[in-house]
Amino acid sequence: MKDIRNAIDVLPGMTPDLILTSGPPMKWEDYAGGQREAIIGGAQFEGLAQNRETAIAGLDAGDIRIDGCHDHGCVGSLAGIYTASMPVLLIENETAGNLGFCNMYEGTNPRRLNYGVYDQGVHDRLTYVNTRVSPVIAEAVRLSGGIPLKPIIRRALHMGDELHSRSTAAALIFTRELFPYLIEIAEKDKQAVHEAVTALTEDHYFFLRLSMAAAKATADAAHHVEGSSMVTAMAFNCRGFAIRVSGLGDQWFTGPHATVEAQLFDGHTQEEITWMGGESTITETIGLGGFAQAAAFPLQRYQGGSAQAMIDRNMELYNITLGENPDYQIPALDYRGSPTGIDIFKVIDTKVLPAMDIGIPGRDGGQIGAGIVRAPMECFTKAREAYIQRYGAF
């Protein structure tokens, strides 16, 4: 991790009137439900509109523009809203020389902008992250000269994380790396450091944004490889699921919504589950998340299932990948490298669909549970057709 900077200063092509959101970009009128509400909320938070009505009017008129996160070097959690003033984590792939970005975690309250909610509480939390939490972490990172993330991820996999739905160990290790510099900052503002450490460690989601940005930087380095049939991005929007393939450019191959097995929070039902976007599944493309689920048995309590089911699911994913990650190893599988590099032809031949760990949004906004989703086959059959048209029979 190199820095934290405002989106307007570092995201390629970012402009003051632009809102970024998850999944294949669509026309404004095609956005629905929580993703639409999140875009409207983002316009208000950024000061592009005074209220919900003027935000909608600005979006209708095209005065407020929308685009997809992936086309600007970043990835979005759930609705994935980025506006110009939001701080973003800057991750450098030193081997390939490219960058990946992700915005900051909003906090533990289930009512969050990325879950399709915008009210005064959400506004206040976003402002708090921007003005209190982000500056302290940014200063500590700069003082450190940069924090290598791969060693943290590698170690966290041996401590019960899979780096998507569970990053508890990774967050604590990352915070430990910052401690000497946080102590230095505390000499000037002890309260600010206390607030930043709380944000870093209060639950298991802060580091997810770092693993997402790291995964984006990793996957992008493997994109645009001529002849490659490897998946380099998977994403949701409110209309369905989609993938990108390395050798097929920036085209999205779309399908219906993923199938889901979820454990819901008390008081919620299956009928409430909705879709409002999401690109945290970038972690699965590099062998983390659902592809390292057997490293994270504590997830059973959070998203259901059993340890044996996690192992069985993880094992079948080796059938659809091009290799095993030499850096990300799973202790329960005798330190076997996680299955990495989803191949569109292997998915079709085996009929094994990529499994992903995600948070579950509700139709009224907010998070209502967590679970496992499977990508739809239609994305892969469309990608195969495009591949054969471009390169001939496989």
Side-chain angles (χ1 to χ4, degrees), residues 48-114:
L48 299 173
Q50 292 183 337
N51 53 46
R52 188 174 186 278
E53 290 70 29
T54 56
I56 293 171
L59 288 157
D60 286 344
D63 298 328
I64 303 170
R65 300 185 301 119
I66 309 168
D67 206 355
C69 297
H70 268 285
D71 292 333
H72 296 265
C74 58
V75 277
S77 174
L78 269 294
I81 302 300
Y82 286 73
T83 64
S85 68
M86 288 183 177
V88 298
L89 308 163
L90 188 159
I91 310 300
E92 182 181 7
N93 182 336
E94 292 185 343
T95 300
N98 64 304
L99 301 173
F101 307 91
C102 192
N103 54 7
M104 298 281 288
Y105 178 49
E106 295 176 48
T108 59
N109 193 309
R111 292 178 61 80
R112 305 192 288 269
L113 182 64
N114 71 316

Side-chain angles (χ1 to χ4, degrees), residues 77-321:
S77 174
L78 269 294
I81 302 300
Y82 286 73
T83 64
S85 68
M86 288 183 177
V88 298
L89 308 163
L90 188 159
I91 310 300
E92 182 181 7
N93 182 336
E94 292 185 343
T95 300
N98 64 304
L99 301 173
F101 307 91
C102 192
N103 54 7
M104 298 281 288
Y105 178 49
E106 295 176 48
T108 59
N109 193 309
R111 292 178 61 80
R112 305 192 288 269
L113 182 64
N114 71 316
Y115 273 88
V117 178
Y118 186 74
D119 55 23
Q120 189 60 48
V122 172
H123 174 92
D124 292 345
R125 285 194 300 277
L126 288 170
T127 301
Y128 175 76
V129 168
N130 289 8
T131 61
R132 295 292 292 176
V133 176
S134 170
V136 173
I137 300 174
E139 184 177 354
V141 170
R142 291 171 195 147
L143 287 170
S144 75
I147 304 293
L149 296 184
K150 182 173 278 189
I152 295 175
I153 294 171
R154 185 167 53 230
R155 186 175 180 187
L157 284 167
H158 300 170
M159 299 171 67
D161 287 354
E162 42 72 89
L163 283 303
H164 188 166
S165 283
R166 191 178 195 274
S167 300
T168 306
L172 294 174
I173 299 169
F174 178 74
T175 304
R176 188 194 67 176
E177 294 296 312
L178 293 181
F179 273 168
Y181 314 104
L182 292 170
I183 291 170
E184 185 176 338
I185 298 168
E187 294 176 0
K188 300 177 293 183
D189 193 340
K190 190 177 299 184
Q191 180 60 31
V193 170
H194 173 78
E195 293 172 13
V197 170
T198 299
L200 284 164
T201 60
E202 63 183 344
D203 73 2
H204 50 243
Y205 272 128
F206 181 89
F207 195 89
L208 169 59
R209 306 305 178 92
L210 289 166
S211 59
M212 286 170 62
K216 172 66 171 168
T218 302
D220 274 4
H223 196 50
H224 292 299
V225 175
E226 189 70 12
S228 173
S229 56
M230 186 177 74
V231 174
T232 49
M234 300 190 289
F236 299 84
N237 61 27
C238 58
R239 298 295 182 182
F241 189 84
I243 65 171
R244 273 181 172 173
V245 177
S246 178
L248 296 176
D250 291 334
Q251 181 179 354
W252 288 101
F253 299 95
T254 60
H257 289 306
T259 57
V260 59
E261 300 174 34
Q263 179 164 288
L264 303 181
F265 302 152
D266 290 345
H268 295 284
T269 64
Q270 293 282 329
E271 290 70 30
E272 295 179 62
I273 295 175
T274 190
W275 302 103
M276 56 183 69
E279 294 170 339
S280 55
T281 51
I282 190 70
T283 57
E284 273 78 5
T285 67
I286 68 161
L288 299 173
F291 283 65
Q293 197 175 98
F297 292 149
L299 276 179
Q300 297 167 75
R301 187 177 295 274
Y302 181 53
Q303 65 183 32
S306 67
Q308 189 59 53
M310 288 177 165
I311 292 172
D312 293 345
R313 189 180 298 114
N314 215 141
M315 290 299 295
E316 74 172 354
L317 295 174
Y318 286 101
N319 296 317
I320 63 170
T321 55

Side-chain angles (χ1 to χ4, degrees), residues 31 39 48 79 96 107 113-114 234 267 342 347 353 385:
Y31 286 98
I39 293 168
L48 299 173
L113 182 64
N114 71 316
M234 300 190 289
I342 302 162
V347 170
L353 295 166
E385 292 169 6

Side-chain angles (χ1 to χ4, degrees), residues 308-382:
Q308 189 59 53
M310 288 177 165
I311 292 172
D312 293 345
R313 189 180 298 114
N314 215 141
M315 290 299 295
E316 74 172 354
L317 295 174
Y318 286 101
N319 296 317
I320 63 170
T321 55
L322 295 167
E324 299 178 16
N325 197 307
D327 295 303
Y328 302 151
Q329 299 172 340
I330 303 173
L333 303 182
D334 295 326
Y335 291 90
R336 185 176 181 181
S338 65
T340 304
I342 302 162
D343 180 78
I344 59 172
F345 290 99
K346 289 189 174 188
V347 170
I348 294 168
D349 290 344
T350 64
K351 297 181 174 56
V352 174
L353 295 166
M356 297 156 279
D357 297 329
I358 68 166
I360 303 296
R363 64 187 173 209
D364 297 322
Q367 184 178 2
I368 64 169
I372 300 153
V373 299
R374 293 274 189 172
M377 184 62 79
E378 287 88 336
C379 301
F380 298 91
T381 55
K382 288 179 181 179

